[in-house]
Amino acid sequence: MRQRIRRLVDVHPVATFFALAYAISWLAWLGPVLGLAEPIRTLGFIVGGYGPALAALVVVWVGSDSVRVWARQIVAWRVAPRWYVAALTIPLVLIALTSAGLELVGTSVDPGLLPERVSLVLVSFVSIALVGGGNEEPGWRGLALPKLQERYAPVSATLVLGVVWALWHLPLLATGPTTFHGLAEFVDIAPSIGVRILNIVGVAFILTWIYNETGSVLLAILAHTGFNTANSTLVPLPLDVISAGDSTTILVVTTVAIWVIVAALFVATRGQFGYETEDSAVATRTAGSSSEVQ
């Protein structure tokens, strides 16, 4: 029986991972639907956020992949310093583009609000890394992305992952415990959910680039955390406006800004988003050997 399960997981690792991630998270997020009281409701929200990581662990452990290799990339910190800079500054570039876009559409921003948010940014960054988004990355980028890229080109792989990742958020978008996630009636919020899905898919492309260039899930965690932190604290508008569920203008402008960054990365990487094929790796090694001979 165990061998049969292992064979199934080895043949369909990504599908198994997606199914488990949805099952774990969506079941954990049933608190608002079932009317569960605190602290069970909040505990379910936290556990659900770890659904992708737990699903990845199960797939790796049950299948033939090495748990040690999977875990090692989660804490892989020995990468070129420029990638730490990239992971932490691209969210700031997004905020700059969003601020410019808001001004263009007639929403005045106030950069003077930012200095007083430094402490909030630090606290938010740590909490988001642990329970607010960064904790998902051992699954999405740690398992699903590399498996998908074994079969598909980076753009196709990221589109598949991005859509699945975005739809995974649906219970949070509909019944989440905070005003940032909480939305009332599905019919009323369908357009907003559509834009949020485009937003998340766009972020997926940026995280693909970060992961492919570094092979480090840790860097993906930092970038994911950076995006969530910047979006929730650094848009230079009053915090109640940023966190409002119906802040459609901010959402749309931010989404457009994300896709501007994605387009720039697509052009700069020729659509590879940092993915090194076997042929390109051979070419790089050959070029290096030639220069050494010279």
Side-chain angles (χ1 to χ4, degrees):
M1 182 67 176
R2 179 178 174 81
Q3 289 301 319
R4 188 177 303 172
I5 294 174
R6 168 171 283 189
R7 197 157 45 243
L8 176 66
V9 171
D10 285 341
V11 173
H12 303 290
V14 177
T16 304
F17 162 72
F18 286 158
L20 282 174
Y22 271 63
I24 294 170
S25 297
W26 285 24
L27 285 172
W29 289 335
L30 279 175
V33 176
L34 299 177
L36 299 180
E38 296 292 356
I40 302 300
R41 189 165 166 169
T42 297
L43 180 61
F45 168 73
I46 294 172
V47 171
Y50 281 91
L54 293 172
L57 176 59
V58 171
V59 168
V60 174
W61 180 66
V62 172
S64 299
D65 291 333
S66 167
V67 174
R68 180 176 298 179
V69 171
W70 171 76
R72 190 180 299 145
Q73 63 178 343
I74 299 173
V75 293
W77 60 272
R78 292 183 177 177
V79 300
R82 68 179 182 276
W83 292 111
Y84 282 95
V85 174
L88 295 173
T89 59
I90 284 187
L92 302 181
V93 171
L94 172 62
I95 293 304
L97 291 174
T98 299
S99 299
L102 288 171
E103 287 285 351
L104 286 175
V105 299
T107 300
S108 297
V109 298
D110 182 7
L113 295 170
L114 297 179
E116 64 190 45
R117 295 185 184 169
V118 173
S119 59
L120 178 60
V121 167
L122 295 176
V123 172
S124 296
F125 193 93
V126 173
S127 63
I128 289 172
L130 296 175
V131 298
N135 50 308
E136 303 164 20
E137 289 306 313
W140 304 127
R141 257 54 63 173
L143 180 105
L145 179 62
K147 291 289 187 185
L148 284 167
Q149 288 185 140
E150 290 175 1
R151 298 186 59 186
Y152 306 107
V155 170
S156 299
T158 303
L159 280 174
V160 171
L161 177 57
V163 171
V164 172
W165 181 33
L167 295 177
W168 172 83
H169 288 82
L170 281 180
L172 290 179
L173 297 177
T175 60
T178 68
T179 55
F180 181 71
H181 287 301
L183 299 167
E185 299 294 335
F186 183 82
V187 173
D188 294 336
I189 64 171
S192 177
I193 286 181
V195 177
R196 286 183 185 274
I197 289 172
L198 285 174
N199 184 297
I200 293 168
V201 173
V203 172
F205 276 96
I206 300 172
L207 295 180
T208 288
W209 174 65
I210 291 288
Y211 175 80
N212 282 343
E213 290 284 5
T214 64
S216 171
V217 175
L218 176 61
L219 268 292
I221 291 172
L222 292 179
H224 187 160
T225 302
F227 280 117
N228 286 9
T229 302
N231 285 334
S232 61
T233 61
L234 289 180
V235 178
L237 292 169
L239 289 177
D240 60 338
V241 175
I242 296 173
S243 63
D246 60 351
S247 53
T248 307
T249 300
I250 299 174
L251 177 61
V252 171
V253 171
T254 301
T255 302
V256 171
I258 286 172
W259 281 96
V260 168
I261 296 174
V262 172
L265 288 175
F266 181 89
V267 172
T269 66
R270 298 180 180 180
Q272 292 301 300
F273 289 91
Y275 186 71
E276 191 175 68
T277 63
E278 187 174 340
D279 289 342
S280 64
V282 170
T284 300
R285 288 194 295 268
T286 302
S289 299
S290 299
S291 63
E292 288 176 8
V293 170
Q294 295 173 353

